[in-house]
Amino acid sequence: MCLGIPGRIVALVDEEAMLASVDVSGVRRTVDVVCVAEPGRPLAELIGAWVLVHVGFAMSVIDEEEAAATLKVLTEIGEAEGEIEAMRSGSVEPFHPSPALRAS
C-alpha cells in the first residue's frame, strides 16, 4: 500500500504482539496497532474503532465520518481499489519487531 486507507478494527489477533484484525471494505487483514494503543488502557477498547492503515500499521484513530469521506475521495481518484487489492492479495504484511525492540 502506498496510501493510508480507513479500516475498522474488528478483533484482536495477538494482544502481546499488539496485532488486530482490520476490515477495509470487506477485506480483513492483520495490522500492528502499537501506534494507536493507549498506554495503560486495554487493547480491547480499540475493537470497533476506525483507523487509518498504512503499510501494515494502524497509524491513527479516525471517526466514522472521516473514514467514509476518505474512502469516497480515494474511490473518486481511483486509488481505493488498488489499496484494497494490495490488502486482499497479501502483498503487504505488518512488520513485527522483537519484544526487545517494543520495550525500547
Side-chain angles (χ1 to χ4, degrees):
M1 285 187 290
C2 296
L3 300 172
I5 189 161
R8 188 173 215 168
I9 297 175
V10 294
L12 296 179
V13 174
D14 183 337
E15 283 192 63
E16 188 174 314
M18 300 190 83
L19 299 175
S21 179
V22 174
D23 184 296
V24 176
S25 297
V27 177
R28 288 192 179 189
R29 292 296 303 218
T30 298
V31 300
D32 192 310
V33 293
V34 69
C35 295
V36 296
E38 294 184 39
R41 309 255 343 218
L43 209 54
E45 288 182 1
L46 289 173
I47 296 173
W50 286 91
V51 292
L52 197 57
V53 178
H54 179 68
V55 294
F57 285 86
M59 299 303 294
S60 61
V61 175
I62 58 176
D63 64 36
E64 189 171 3
E65 288 180 20
E66 184 177 353
T70 301
L71 280 171
K72 182 179 183 226
V73 169
L74 291 174
T75 299
E76 288 172 354
I77 64 172
E79 293 293 330
E81 189 56 39
E83 296 299 305
I84 293 167
E85 185 54 38
M87 292 185 84
R88 183 178 290 118
S89 69
S91 62
V92 175
E93 288 293 331
F95 170 70
H96 304 293
S98 71
L101 288 176
R102 287 186 183 275
S104 56

